[in-house]
Amino acid sequence: MGEVIVITSGKGGVGKTTTSANLGAGLASLGDKVCLIDADIGLRNLDVVMGLENRIVYDLVDVTSGNCSFRKAMIKDKRFENLFLMPAAQTKDKTAVSPEQMRALTEEIKSEFDYVIIDCPAGIEQGFRNAISGANQAIVVTTPEVSAVRDADRIIGLLEKEDLREPKLVINRMRYQMVKHGDMMSIDDIIDILAVDLLGVVPDDEQVVISTNRGEMVVMNDSSRSGQAYRNIVRRIKGEDIPMMNLEEEGGFFRKLRQIIGLK
Amino acid sequence: MLDIINRLLGRESHSSRNVAKERLRLVLVHDRAGVSPELLQTLRVELIQVISNYMEIDEHSLEVSLDSSENQVALVANIPVKKMKRTVQTETA
């Protein structure tokens, strides 16, 4: 019986879909059988982020309305032995699926997978209700901005009301240099405010944009810091005790670089 | 080094990081308590009415806000008193 993890945030644009794709790919690369569900009906994006947009035949609404089996709608990612995507419908809206249908679907899928990861839409309306209804764990994604942290706080409250207790936090697009200069909230600032457990911090990284442009996942990029951050998060999900990345590393490296340039 | 310069210039507490933290802290007190600004405004008006029965207060400098520390929310009212009244003027009096 697999774990069903919902990736949510409240606010849009903080990196839910990118996080979903990378955690899914990262878990699959470690040998787990993973199904990613795009619950953002009407605004599907997980397919393009993963580079699978040309292979969609059936979607989530086809499955919940009984047009086809979930196995038929799922797209197998050819790059990963164990990675599957259940795409969202693009022409319907969020009311095309009910929380009960989603619960029944995830119940069915999780019996055949190690992890079911649900990419939740932004907002707190029905799309959110649908996405969380079948989940037994939640990961909240935020960025170090007042709007994103405020929405994360609201979402954490709503998750707890729905009995998804102890959600884990991923802080995305962290810029350590800005924190150092007093221009961005630090990891500790955000954890203090939200009072939740930290699952990981992903540094702001151009490589994420570059990978996404190509329909690839940065978690497979061995030389990128964001890829390393995602790999660490994946191992923490699997229960390993991985220390947080050294924050001074980046500053140290650039400081050294600047010193070298300065000497020349 | 920059931190030290900032601290010397007294910029530390005004850094945008700290401003963000403080603003968030306050807005979340309201969000979590489910208290609307309108509700606080009504409370403020009624507080003035009641207190004015007993003392003369500076209505314009009166501050009513919610604050939080640890897991507790406190209602904090800062009410400057101009003059105490000698006799209590309640409606029954």
Side-chain angles (χ1 to χ4, degrees), chain A residues 145-205:
Chain A
E145 290 155 75
V146 285
S147 51
V149 175
R150 183 191 195 178
D151 289 2
D153 186 77
R154 182 103 166 87
I155 284 294
I156 291 163
L158 291 171
L159 288 171
E160 283 175 351
K161 247 186 232 164
E162 298 294 322
D163 245 21
L164 276 168
R165 290 180 197 284
E166 295 178 16
K168 302 275 188 293
L169 190 72
V170 169
I171 303 174
N172 196 14
R173 294 206 203 107
M174 185 49 104
R175 296 175 67 171
Y176 299 114
Q177 285 298 317
M178 286 190 73
V179 175
K180 232 170 145 187
H181 294 162
D183 286 325
M184 181 176 268
M185 282 186 286
S186 71
I187 297 163
D188 286 342
D189 293 343
I190 297 169
I191 293 296
D192 271 358
I193 287 167
L194 294 178
V196 285
D197 287 342
L198 182 65
L199 182 62
V201 182
V202 182
D204 195 30
D205 186 358

Side-chain angles (χ1 to χ4, degrees), chain A residues 37 46 49 89 148 151 176 228 234 262:
Chain A
I37 302 179
L46 191 51
V49 169
D151 289 2
Y176 299 114
Q228 182 61 51
V234 164

Side-chain angles (χ1 to χ4, degrees), chain B residues 1-14:
Chain B
M1 185 63 192
L2 206 78
D3 285 353
I4 298 165
I5 295 169
N6 274 346
R7 225 168 286 144
L8 286 175
L9 292 173
R11 254 159 53 183
E12 182 64 10
S13 61
H14 301 295

Side-chain angles (χ1 to χ4, degrees), chain A residues 8-12 16 94 120-129 151 155 158:
Chain A
T8 183
S9 70
K11 189 178 177 301
K16 284 181 295 297
K94 272 142 191 139
C120 180
I124 53 173
E125 296 82 21
Q126 189 171 344
F128 169 73
R129 304 262 157 225
D151 289 2
I155 284 294
L158 291 171

Side-chain angles (χ1 to χ4, degrees), chain A residues 30-41:
Chain A
L30 293 182
D32 287 302
K33 198 173 174 199
V34 182
C35 177
L36 283 160
I37 302 179
D38 188 348
D40 202 346
I41 297 164

Side-chain angles (χ1 to χ4, degrees), chain A residues 1 26 39 49 62 69 74 77 98 119-120 128 132 146 151 157 195 200 203 216 224 230 235 239 241 254 259 263:
Chain A
M1 214 47 146
V49 169
D62 289 322
S69 71
M74 259 180 330
D77 191 316
S98 70
D119 183 19
C120 180
F128 169 73
I132 66 167
V146 285
D151 289 2
E216 291 164 1
S224 78
Y230 280 123
R235 289 168 67 186
D241 189 14
F254 281 112
Q259 277 168 0
L263 281 173

Side-chain angles (χ1 to χ4, degrees), chain A residues 77-111:
Chain A
D77 191 316
K78 289 171 183 158
R79 296 160 293 187
F80 303 90
E81 186 69 21
N82 300 311
L83 186 60
F84 294 81
L85 169 69
M86 170 76 72
Q90 180 70 334
T91 52
K92 317 254 177 16
D93 69 64
K94 272 142 191 139
T95 56
V97 178
S98 70
E100 291 70 31
Q101 287 174 322
M102 276 297 283
R103 198 173 304 134
L105 177 66
T106 48
E107 202 60 39
E108 207 183 339
I109 295 178
K110 79 176 178 190
S111 62

Side-chain angles (χ1 to χ4, degrees), chain B residues 31-68:
Chain B
D31 285 0
R32 287 174 185 168
V35 175
S36 66
E38 289 86 355
L39 191 145
L40 271 189
Q41 186 53 35
T42 316
L43 174 71
R44 186 190 148 101
V45 170
E46 289 186 18
L47 263 182
I48 291 172
Q49 281 171 7
V50 172
I51 295 167
S52 299
N53 289 334
Y54 302 89
M55 51 195 85
E56 228 174 88
I57 57 173
D58 181 358
E59 292 182 19
H60 299 288
S61 330
L62 182 141
E63 281 173 31
V64 180
S65 62
L66 285 172
D67 206 344
S68 76

